[in-house]
Amino acid sequence: MKQSNEKFSGVVRCLRVEDLPRIQQMVGKLAEHHGDVATVTLEELARDVLGASPWVRILVAELSGDVVGYAALCPLAQMQFGARGMDLQHLFVEEHARRLGAGRALIKASQARARAEGCKYLSVGTHPDNVMVHGIYPAMGFDPLDPPGPRFRINLSETAA
């Protein structure tokens, strides 16, 4: 993949309330890309990304007044080290805006946001088949990590018995 050496000519900024429908659309596109169907409602999205202490922090890339991408950051902790971290949970750029530097600008802004919140690290996971990004993150200073050990989950929804 040819990487852009151009500086992004748009802006990266924090999410605004009026961005929510656009973010919801892009979340759906990213889910579809991964073979999922996004079911998040605008109300659920607002609950998670707005307010004084949001569960998820959203940064948006804006180009000529249009939101063309977003990064979703989720808090992490390594309590034994007293280390806060952030996980770059979602990174999405609309197809027409790719290779213009928006993704790199979102990653750099994510690093700055994590630092501003007192984080010692920023992590990101990618799908093994997403070979397009396998060189991008190391080129931006990210170190590869070994896969985590076994993980488990329990369904806590009301419909679970």
Side-chain angles (χ1 to χ4, degrees), residues 11-23 42 45-46 49-50 58-60 62 65-67:
V11 297
V12 175
R13 59 171 174 77
C14 291
L15 172 92
R16 296 180 189 142
V17 173
E18 59 268 21
D19 299 326
L20 288 177
R22 190 75 177 95
I23 298 301
L42 280 175
L45 191 59
V49 303
L50 296 175
I58 301 285
L59 300 173
V60 299
E62 187 178 287
D66 183 29
V67 174

Side-chain angles (χ1 to χ4, degrees), residues 129-149:
D129 295 337
N130 191 356
V131 295
M132 180 172 67
V133 299
H134 290 180
I136 292 173
Y137 290 112
M140 293 189 72
F142 285 76
D143 296 319
L145 298 174
D146 293 329

Side-chain angles (χ1 to χ4, degrees), residues 75-148:
L76 296 171
Q78 290 179 308
M79 290 179 62
Q80 71 276 27
F81 303 126
R84 287 181 171 189
M86 281 280 183
D87 185 60
L88 180 52
Q89 183 68 31
H90 278 195
L91 180 66
F92 180 83
V93 176
E94 290 283 7
E95 194 168 336
H96 72 274
R98 292 180 188 158
R99 294 180 179 75
L100 300 177
R104 287 180 184 273
L106 283 164
I107 293 167
K108 288 193 176 291
S110 296
Q111 291 171 318
R113 176 67 185 260
R115 274 190 205 97
E117 292 199 31
C119 294
K120 293 185 178 181
Y121 64 93
L122 177 67
S123 65
V124 62
T126 64
H127 192 280
D129 295 337
N130 191 356
V131 295
M132 180 172 67
V133 299
H134 290 180
I136 292 173
Y137 290 112
M140 293 189 72
F142 285 76
D143 296 319
L145 298 174
D146 293 329

